[in-house]
Coordinates of all heavy atoms in Angstrom, one line a residue:
P1 N 2.5 14.1 -25.4 CA 1.0 13.9 -25.2 C 0.8 12.6 -24.2 O -0.3 12.5 -23.7 CB 0.6 13.6 -26.5 CG 1.7 13.3 -27.4 CD 2.8 14.0 -26.7
W2 N 1.7 11.8 -24.0 CA 1.5 10.6 -23.2 C 1.6 11.0 -21.7 O 1.1 10.3 -20.9 CB 2.5 9.6 -23.5 CG 2.4 9.0 -24.9 CD1 3.1 9.2 -25.9 CD2 1.4 8.2 -25.4 NE1 2.7 8.7 -27.1 CE2 1.6 7.9 -26.8 CE3 0.2 7.6 -24.7 CZ2 0.8 7.2 -27.5 CZ3 -0.5 6.7 -25.5 CH2 -0.3 6.6 -26.9
T3 N 2.2 12.1 -21.4 CA 2.4 12.5 -19.9 C 1.4 13.5 -19.6 O 1.3 14.1 -18.5 CB 3.8 13.1 -19.7 OG1 4.1 14.1 -20.5 CG2 4.9 11.9 -19.9
K4 N 0.6 14.0 -20.5 CA -0.5 15.0 -20.3 C -1.6 14.4 -19.4 O -1.9 13.2 -19.6 CB -1.0 15.5 -21.6 CG -1.8 16.7 -21.6 CD -2.2 17.1 -23.0 CE -3.0 18.4 -23.0 NZ -3.4 18.8 -24.2
K5 N -2.2 15.2 -18.5 CA -3.1 14.7 -17.6 C -4.5 14.5 -18.5 O -4.8 15.3 -19.4 CB -3.5 15.8 -16.5 CG -2.4 16.0 -15.5 CD -2.8 16.9 -14.4 CE -1.6 16.9 -13.4 NZ -2.0 17.9 -12.4
N6 N -5.2 13.4 -18.1 CA -6.6 13.1 -18.7 C -7.5 13.0 -17.7 O -7.6 12.1 -16.9 CB -6.3 11.7 -19.4 CG -7.4 11.4 -20.3 OD1 -8.4 12.0 -20.2 ND2 -7.5 10.3 -21.0
P7 N -8.4 14.0 -17.8 CA -9.6 14.1 -16.6 C -10.5 12.9 -16.9 O -11.1 12.4 -15.8 CB -10.3 15.5 -16.9 CG -9.9 15.8 -18.3 CD -8.5 15.1 -18.6
F8 N -10.7 12.4 -18.1 CA -11.7 11.4 -18.2 C -11.2 10.0 -17.7 O -11.8 9.3 -17.0 CB -12.1 11.2 -19.7 CG -12.8 12.4 -20.3 CD1 -12.0 13.2 -21.2 CD2 -14.1 12.7 -19.9 CE1 -12.7 14.2 -21.8 CE2 -14.6 13.8 -20.4 CZ -14.0 14.6 -21.3
L9 N -9.9 9.8 -17.9 CA -9.2 8.5 -17.3 C -9.2 8.7 -15.8 O -9.4 7.7 -15.2 CB -7.9 8.4 -17.8 CG -7.0 7.3 -17.3 CD1 -7.8 5.9 -17.8 CD2 -5.7 7.3 -17.8
S10 N -9.0 9.9 -15.3 CA -8.9 10.1 -13.8 C -10.2 9.8 -13.2 O -10.4 9.3 -12.2 CB -8.6 11.6 -13.5 OG -8.5 11.8 -12.1
M11 N -11.4 10.3 -13.9 CA -12.7 10.0 -13.3 C -13.0 8.6 -13.4 O -13.7 8.0 -12.6 CB -13.8 10.8 -14.2 CG -13.8 12.3 -13.8 SD -15.1 13.2 -14.6 CE -14.9 13.0 -16.4
F12 N -12.7 7.8 -14.5 CA -12.9 6.5 -14.7 C -12.2 5.7 -13.6 O -12.7 4.8 -13.0 CB -12.4 6.0 -16.0 CG -12.6 4.5 -16.3 CD1 -13.7 3.9 -16.6 CD2 -11.4 3.7 -16.1 CE1 -13.9 2.6 -16.6 CE2 -11.5 2.3 -16.2 CZ -12.6 1.8 -16.5
L13 N -10.9 6.0 -13.2 CA -10.2 5.3 -12.3 C -10.8 5.6 -10.9 O -10.8 4.7 -10.1 CB -8.8 5.7 -12.3 CG -8.0 5.0 -13.5 CD1 -6.5 5.6 -13.7 CD2 -8.0 3.6 -13.7
S14 N -11.2 6.7 -10.7 CA -11.9 7.1 -9.3 C -13.1 6.2 -9.3 O -13.2 5.7 -8.1 CB -12.2 8.5 -9.3 OG -11.1 9.3 -9.1
G15 N -13.9 6.1 -10.1 CA -15.2 5.3 -10.1 C -14.8 3.8 -9.9 O -15.5 3.2 -9.1
A16 N -13.8 3.4 -10.6 CA -13.4 1.9 -10.6 C -12.9 1.7 -9.2 O -13.1 0.6 -8.4 CB -12.4 1.6 -11.5
N17 N -12.2 2.7 -8.5 CA -11.7 2.5 -7.1 C -12.8 2.6 -6.2 O -12.8 1.6 -5.2 CB -10.8 3.6 -6.7 CG -10.0 3.3 -5.5 OD1 -9.8 2.3 -5.2 ND2 -9.4 4.4 -5.0
V18 N -13.8 3.3 -6.3 CA -14.9 3.2 -5.4 C -15.7 1.9 -5.5 O -16.1 1.2 -4.6 CB -16.0 4.5 -5.9 CG1 -17.2 4.2 -5.1 CG2 -15.3 5.6 -5.4
A19 N -15.9 1.4 -6.7 CA -16.7 0.1 -7.0 C -15.9 -1.1 -6.4 O -16.4 -1.8 -5.7 CB -16.8 -0.1 -8.5
S20 N -14.5 -1.1 -6.5 CA -13.8 -2.1 -5.9 C -13.7 -2.1 -4.5 O -13.7 -3.1 -3.7 CB -12.3 -2.1 -6.6 OG -11.6 -1.0 -6.1
G21 N -13.8 -0.8 -3.9 CA -13.7 -0.7 -2.5 C -15.0 -1.2 -1.9 O -15.1 -1.9 -0.7
R22 N -16.1 -0.9 -2.5 CA -17.5 -1.4 -2.0 C -17.6 -3.0 -2.1 O -18.1 -3.6 -1.2 CB -18.6 -0.7 -2.8 CG -18.8 0.7 -2.5 CD -20.0 1.2 -3.3 NE -20.1 2.6 -3.1 CZ -20.9 3.4 -3.6 NH1 -21.6 3.0 -4.8 NH2 -20.9 4.7 -3.4
A23 N -17.1 -3.5 -3.3 CA -17.0 -5.0 -3.4 C -16.3 -5.7 -2.4 O -16.6 -6.6 -1.8 CB -16.5 -5.3 -4.9
R24 N -15.0 -5.0 -2.0 CA -14.3 -5.6 -1.0 C -14.8 -5.6 0.4 O -14.7 -6.5 1.1 CB -12.8 -4.9 -1.0 CG -11.8 -5.5 -0.1 CD -10.5 -4.6 0.1 NE -10.9 -3.5 0.9 CZ -10.5 -2.2 0.7 NH1 -9.7 -2.1 -0.3 NH2 -10.9 -1.2 1.4
G25 N -15.5 -4.4 0.5 CA -16.2 -4.3 1.9 C -17.4 -5.4 2.0 O -17.5 -5.9 3.1
L26 N -18.1 -5.5 0.9 CA -19.1 -6.6 1.1 C -18.6 -8.0 1.1 O -19.1 -8.8 1.9 CB -20.1 -6.6 -0.3 CG -21.0 -5.3 -0.3 CD1 -21.6 -5.2 -1.7 CD2 -22.0 -5.2 0.8
W27 N -17.5 -8.3 0.6 CA -16.8 -9.5 0.6 C -16.3 -9.8 2.1 O -16.5 -10.9 2.6 CB -15.8 -9.6 -0.5 CG -15.0 -11.0 -0.3 CD1 -15.4 -12.1 -0.9 CD2 -13.7 -11.2 0.3 NE1 -14.4 -13.1 -0.7 CE2 -13.4 -12.6 0.0 CE3 -12.8 -10.4 1.0 CZ2 -12.3 -13.2 0.6 CZ3 -11.6 -11.0 1.4 CH2 -11.4 -12.3 1.3
T28 N -15.7 -8.8 2.7 CA -15.2 -8.9 3.9 C -16.3 -9.1 5.0 O -16.2 -9.9 5.9 CB -14.5 -7.6 4.4 OG1 -13.3 -7.5 3.4 CG2 -13.8 -7.7 5.7
Q29 N -17.5 -8.4 4.7 CA -18.7 -8.5 5.6 C -19.2 -9.9 5.6 O -19.5 -10.6 6.6 CB -19.6 -7.5 5.3 CG -21.0 -7.6 6.1 CD -22.0 -6.7 5.5 OE1 -21.9 -6.2 4.4 NE2 -23.1 -6.4 6.4

């Protein structure tokens, strides 16, 4: 069960990646 794919975790990490990318872009600007 620890190696099984988790769609909710995948969505959460995708959203976190988008948010961190936007924050990095604003900081660089």
